[in-house]
Amino acid sequence: QAVLYSTSADGSEYYFITDAVRQLFGFTPEEIYKNKFLILRTIAKEHFEAFKNFIEKLRSGEASIVEYKMKDRFGKEHWVKHSGVPILRSGKVIRIVGIILDITEEKITRLKLENSEEKFRMLIDTADDLIFMLNGFGYFNMVNKNGANALGYKPEEMIGKHFLDFIDKEDEPKIAEAFSKILTTQEKIIFEVAFLDRFDKSVTFEIHSKPMVVDGEISGMIGIGRNITSRKHDEQKIRELNA
């Protein structure tokens, strides 16, 4: 299904193009030999600038790849990956060879995934709770903006650091026990932990955590923490009043 081609250095003439061009663009090789603009005219206007940059790289002697949307001869839309390699002689580009692949299904799937990830990111970033992911060694892979801000940090200041770096030392045994349960039971674990914010002020969270399992092995954990500091203060006041 791949379209193989060879053109002059400036792209003004096609020396060779495979018959697969019929299925992708709707033109015969003979039609393209006669009219080099046929393929250019199929490219979506919004992607033409990227295609021009692709051509400029090839002319400068650099291999290049571009993805663009196009409409074939019959008006059907496709996404293609267009690659080219310049052939040099004595340091000068004498011709271009390359491959054009139909990546429509792959591109649509990728765009859907990116859209889904964007929605997921928006949901995480707008949540008031602390949402985080740890790798298998307990280091932050991801933390949401509002959760980090609640501790006086930016997400990038927490990512790459260990979970225990932000925990009150008195709670470390509790954390070790909770992590051990997560690793052994692979079930959701709920525990309370006192974080220390940027100013060493204690902030208590109720953490709901669960392991992330890939190919049957635990690769880390995901957690959602609700700030219960005010509730803990109220409970302490009630205990004092009762006493």
Side-chain angles (χ1 to χ4, degrees), residues 23 66 106 108 216 223:
Q23 283 74 44
V66 65
E106 173 193 335
I108 290 173

Side-chain angles (χ1 to χ4, degrees), residues 185-237:
T185 66
Q186 295 193 21
E187 295 178 357
K188 183 173 77 172
I189 301 297
I190 302 173
F191 59 94
E192 292 181 8
V193 60
F195 282 82
L196 292 178
D197 68 11
R198 182 184 288 275
F199 309 103
D200 283 334
K201 181 181 177 182
S202 180
V203 185
T204 305
F205 281 86
E206 182 181 80
I207 305 291
H208 293 243
S209 59
K210 196 169 184 179
M212 294 186 293
V213 181
V214 178
D215 295 329
E217 295 185 2
I218 295 176
S219 62
M221 64 167 277
I222 183 168
I224 300 176
R226 175 65 52 84
N227 188 337
I228 59 170
T229 307
S230 297
R231 191 184 84 191
K232 298 298 288 185
H233 285 166
D234 291 342
E235 289 174 355
Q236 180 62 30
K237 287 178 183 178

Side-chain angles (χ1 to χ4, degrees), residues 78-120:
H78 301 263
W79 277 92
V80 301
K81 179 182 285 185
H82 194 139
S83 62
V85 178
I87 305 301
L88 306 175
R89 182 179 294 164
S90 301
K92 184 179 179 181
V93 179
I94 59 170
R95 70 177 182 275
I96 306 294
V97 296
I99 300 174
I100 307 174
L101 291 169
D102 188 342
I103 59 166
T104 305
E105 290 186 14
E106 173 193 335
K107 187 70 176 182
I108 290 173
T109 301
R110 201 188 315 162
L111 289 172
K112 285 180 179 178
L113 180 60
E114 288 171 0
N115 186 43
S116 177
E117 288 177 345
E118 184 179 351
K119 289 178 180 177
F120 179 64

Side-chain angles (χ1 to χ4, degrees), residues 116-196:
S116 177
E117 288 177 345
E118 184 179 351
K119 289 178 180 177
F120 179 64
R121 171 58 61 182
M122 287 177 63
L123 176 63
I124 286 178
D125 284 342
T126 55
D128 290 329
D129 295 331
L130 170 67
I131 303 174
F132 61 90
M133 290 182 184
L134 304 179
N135 67 14
F137 299 100
Y139 290 88
F140 283 98
N141 274 342
M142 184 280 290
V143 60
N144 68 323
K145 183 178 179 181
N146 288 343
N149 289 346
L151 297 171
Y153 295 100
K154 295 178 180 178
E156 54 268 26
E157 292 177 308
M158 296 182 68
I159 292 171
K161 293 185 178 179
H162 200 277
F163 188 81
L164 293 178
D165 291 341
F166 302 92
I167 301 302
D168 190 319
K169 297 299 180 185
E170 293 183 2
D171 276 4
E172 286 188 3
K174 186 192 300 183
I175 298 303
E177 182 183 353
F179 281 16
S180 177
K181 284 183 180 178
I182 291 171
L183 293 173
T184 54
T185 66
Q186 295 193 21
E187 295 178 357
K188 183 173 77 172
I189 301 297
I190 302 173
F191 59 94
E192 292 181 8
V193 60
F195 282 82
L196 292 178

